[in-house]
């Protein structure tokens, strides 16, 4: 059977305890923790190096003004991750497998090609981000930082064969490091909390460049590989024996998605707040990760700069490992074929080494990778909405009217904003915005 990471089983003790919860014999917070993990792993995609880049640019250029965009992007992400998890729980299939079963061969092969390309672009951004963090932290050449990051990522992936919990705990630990790092940054930076609160309550787009950054924030938040991955993480983790158990699993899954994505959203909000407090007054031109690091030391001290790099390194290593797992799941789901995880890891790292060896600016490579993701994002989003609203697939668990309307609206927002990003990336004038 093809289930990617889901092929690894929980321990007998954990499985027994989950059965007790589903049967109603066990309750409480500790019981809920048995179901935690899939959304935590998926949430690392929402605090990856691409988010660092867009959030730094947003805070430096516009202060707190674009905080509301982070909240909007996170709300959309919550919805689609919850739908992805629901698909896995109800059908016992992940999104890529459903595409293979339901779409004609030419369509699914095209979807696979686009999704694989997106997975490689995602990995390029995540791997480069971790390498940049390590090279700056240890004062290494970027290529040396990439080599060390590669080894660290492979070490994390080595735990994949030991089942769900080790990977969930490791990724959860990385998420905690990133979160604690940004809590520390907020204590160091001179934050204007009143201004931040007003920005959250009063959405605004000061000019056309702000729109571009806003679209970039959403593009860096709603990630194609995370949508595929979440369904694979839930499809067999705690198989339901009947519909009553499925309903309980869906409640736990929905709450976990909300909590995990809310935590990731809080980190993104903290990134924008920190960048605003540190750079907006006098350093509004800060737009690159390296520049942000070098600017933090004189502005807020060496501790703030080091904490920033530690969080970036944790983000790069963990998101790169998760991206590799997602790529493996995409291949298995679409074409029923798998390669050893280390081979996929090496194959997806090669483009990053080629890019850096050719002398391409690392931050530029991150930006271009986001364009690729924008092109690929409609594939999993549209497929997910089609499947989760289809009663032939989901039976009584198909989306209700409100959820369906929200999912369609979210899809249209993503498609429209990604179209704007692509038009602006290729310098195509957008009517009504040229003079903004």
């Amino acid at each position: 059977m093809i289930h990617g990471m889901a092929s690894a089983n929980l321990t007998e003790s954990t499985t027994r305890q989950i059965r007790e919860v589903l049967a109603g014999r066990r309750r409480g917070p500790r019981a809920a923790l048995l179901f935690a993990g899939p959304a935590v792993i998926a949430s690392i995609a929402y605090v990856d190096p691409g988010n660092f880049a867009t959030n730094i640019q947003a805070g430096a250029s516009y202060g707190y003004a674009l905080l509301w965009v982070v909240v909007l992007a996170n709300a959309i992400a919550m919805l689609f991750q919850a739908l992805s998890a629901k698909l896995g729980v109800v059908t016992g299939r992940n999104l890529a497998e459903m595409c293979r079963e339901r779409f004609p061969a030419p369509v699914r092969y095209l979807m696979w090609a686009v999704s694989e390309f997106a997975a490689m672009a995602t990995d390029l951004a995540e791997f480069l981000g971790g390498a940049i963090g390590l090279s700056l932290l240890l004062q290494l050449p970027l290529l040396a930082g990439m080599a060390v990051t590669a080894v660290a990522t492979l070490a994390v992936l080595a735990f994949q064969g030991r089942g769900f919990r080790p990977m969930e705990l490791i990724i959860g630990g990385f998420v905690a490091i990133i979160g604690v790092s940004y809590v520390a940054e907020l204590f160091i930076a001179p934050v204007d909390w009143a201004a931040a609160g007003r920005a959250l309550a009063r959405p605004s787009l000061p000019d056309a460049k702000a729109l571009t950054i806003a679209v970039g924030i959403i593009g860096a938040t709603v990630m194609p590989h995370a949508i595929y991955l979440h369904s694979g993480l839930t499809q067999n983790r705690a198989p339901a024996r009947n519909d009553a158990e499925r309903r309980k699993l869906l409640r736990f899954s929905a709450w976990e998605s909300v909590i995990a994505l809310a935590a990731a959203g809080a980190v993104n909000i903290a990134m924008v707040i920190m960048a605003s407090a540190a750079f907006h007054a006098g350093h509004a031109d800060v737009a690159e990760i390296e520049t942000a690091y070098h600017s933090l030391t004189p502005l807020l001290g060496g501790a703030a700069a080091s904490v920033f790099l530690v969080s970036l390194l944790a983000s790069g290593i963990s998101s790169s490992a998760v991206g590799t797992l997602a790529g493996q799941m995409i291949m298995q789901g679409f074409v029923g074929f798998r390669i050893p995880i280390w081979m996929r890891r090496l194959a997806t790292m090669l483009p990053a080494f080629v890019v850096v060896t050719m002398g391409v600016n690392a931050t530029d490579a991150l930006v271009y990778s986001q364009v690729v993701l924008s092109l690929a994002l409609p594939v999993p989003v549209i497929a997910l909405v089609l499947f989760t609203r289809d009663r032939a697939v989901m039976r009584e668990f198909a989306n209700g009217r409100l959820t369906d309307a929200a999912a369609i609206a979210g899809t249209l927002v993503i498609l429209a904003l990604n179209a704007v990003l692509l038009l602006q990336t290729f310098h195509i004038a957008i009517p009504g915005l040229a003079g903004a």
Side-chain angles (χ1 to χ4, degrees):
M1 295 180 72
I2 300 166
H3 299 308
M5 188 177 169
S7 62
N9 295 321
L10 295 169
T11 64
E12 290 184 9
S13 174
T14 302
T15 301
R16 183 175 64 254
Q17 292 176 67
I18 286 175
R19 291 293 181 207
E20 290 176 356
V21 175
L22 294 178
R25 296 192 297 270
R26 186 185 178 110
R27 295 181 175 85
R30 292 185 66 182
L33 286 175
L34 292 168
F35 300 88
V40 173
I41 289 181
S43 73
I44 199 66
Y46 299 92
V47 287
D48 74 357
N51 294 93
F52 277 67
T54 56
N55 291 334
I56 287 170
Q57 192 174 9
S61 299
Y62 294 100
Y64 305 108
L66 299 182
L67 279 173
W68 69 273
V69 180
V70 178
V71 176
L72 173 64
N74 210 68
I76 294 172
M78 280 184 187
L79 173 62
F80 285 112
Q81 292 304 142
L83 291 180
S84 177
K86 181 170 80 166
L87 181 71
V89 169
V90 173
T91 67
R93 298 283 189 276
N94 62 55
L95 180 57
E97 289 173 336
M98 290 299 300
C99 291
R100 185 178 60 168
E101 292 179 7
R102 297 276 171 166
F103 294 137
V107 173
R108 69 171 181 262
Y109 281 121
L110 178 60
M111 293 176 72
W112 173 52
V114 171
S115 301
E116 283 281 11
F117 198 48
M120 293 184 71
T122 301
D123 192 69
L124 173 67
E126 294 166 344
F127 181 58
L128 273 179
I132 291 170
L134 186 63
S135 64
L136 291 172
L137 186 65
L138 301 181
Q139 299 297 303
L140 296 172
L142 182 56
L143 281 173
M146 292 169 67
V148 177
T149 303
V151 173
T153 305
L154 287 169
V156 172
L157 287 169
F159 286 89
Q160 186 257 350
R162 299 188 180 186
F164 285 103
R165 274 308 190 202
M167 280 298 292
E168 291 170 354
L169 292 173
I170 290 169
I171 299 302
F174 279 118
V175 172
I177 289 171
I178 299 166
V180 170
S181 296
Y182 268 90
V183 169
E185 295 280 22
L186 293 182
F187 279 103
I188 298 172
V191 178
D192 184 344
W193 292 106
R198 287 193 297 272
L200 285 169
R202 300 175 191 169
S204 67
L205 286 171
D207 54 32
K209 181 185 174 185
L211 175 61
T212 303
I213 296 174
V215 175
I217 290 172
I218 293 176
T221 301
V222 186
M223 305 289 280
H225 74 288
I227 294 174
Y228 282 113
L229 179 66
H230 206 158
S231 59
L233 296 174
T234 59
Q235 67 182 118
N236 279 327
R237 188 177 184 279
R241 291 172 293 191
N242 52 56
D243 284 348
E245 291 189 349
R246 285 188 185 88
R247 279 188 284 273
K248 289 184 179 180
L249 284 172
L250 290 175
R251 283 197 296 271
F252 283 120
S253 178
W255 275 110
E256 193 213 358
S257 295
V258 169
I259 293 169
L261 270 296
V267 171
N268 282 310
I269 289 171
M271 288 184 191
V272 176
I273 288 175
M274 186 277 290
S276 175
F279 305 132
H280 183 56
H283 298 81
D285 59 339
V286 171
E288 296 185 355
I289 290 172
E290 298 95 325
T291 309
Y293 164 69
H294 290 302
S295 301
L296 275 174
T297 301
L299 290 174
L300 300 181
S306 296
V307 168
F308 170 74
L309 290 184
V310 168
S311 65
L312 177 61
L313 178 59
S315 168
I317 292 174
S318 56
S319 61
S320 189
V322 169
T324 302
L325 293 175
Q328 185 83 316
M329 192 172 291
I330 288 168
M331 175 183 284
Q332 289 176 272
F334 273 112
V335 296
F337 179 74
R338 67 174 297 166
I339 58 176
I341 197 77
W342 62 267
M343 189 180 296
R344 169 170 282 277
R345 174 69 263 174
L346 293 177
T348 54
M349 287 189 299
L350 283 178
F353 280 97
V354 171
V355 164
V356 173
T357 303
M358 291 173 60
V360 177
N361 179 274
T363 301
D364 288 344
L366 290 176
V367 172
Y368 293 136
S369 72
Q370 300 307 307
V371 175
V372 173
L373 295 181
S374 298
L375 287 168
L377 185 58
V379 171
V381 166
I382 294 173
L384 181 63
V385 173
L386 290 175
F387 290 142
T388 54
R389 71 194 303 263
D390 188 348
R391 289 194 172 274
V393 174
M394 303 293 288
R395 299 180 291 108
E396 66 179 271
F397 301 100
N399 297 339
R401 290 184 179 179
L402 184 60
T403 302
D404 201 32
I408 293 171
T411 301
L412 293 175
V413 168
I414 289 171
L415 295 179
L417 292 180
N418 276 286
V420 171
L421 176 62
L422 293 172
L423 289 172
Q424 295 197 349
T425 298
F426 294 108
H427 308 292
I428 300 173
I430 302 174
L433 289 179

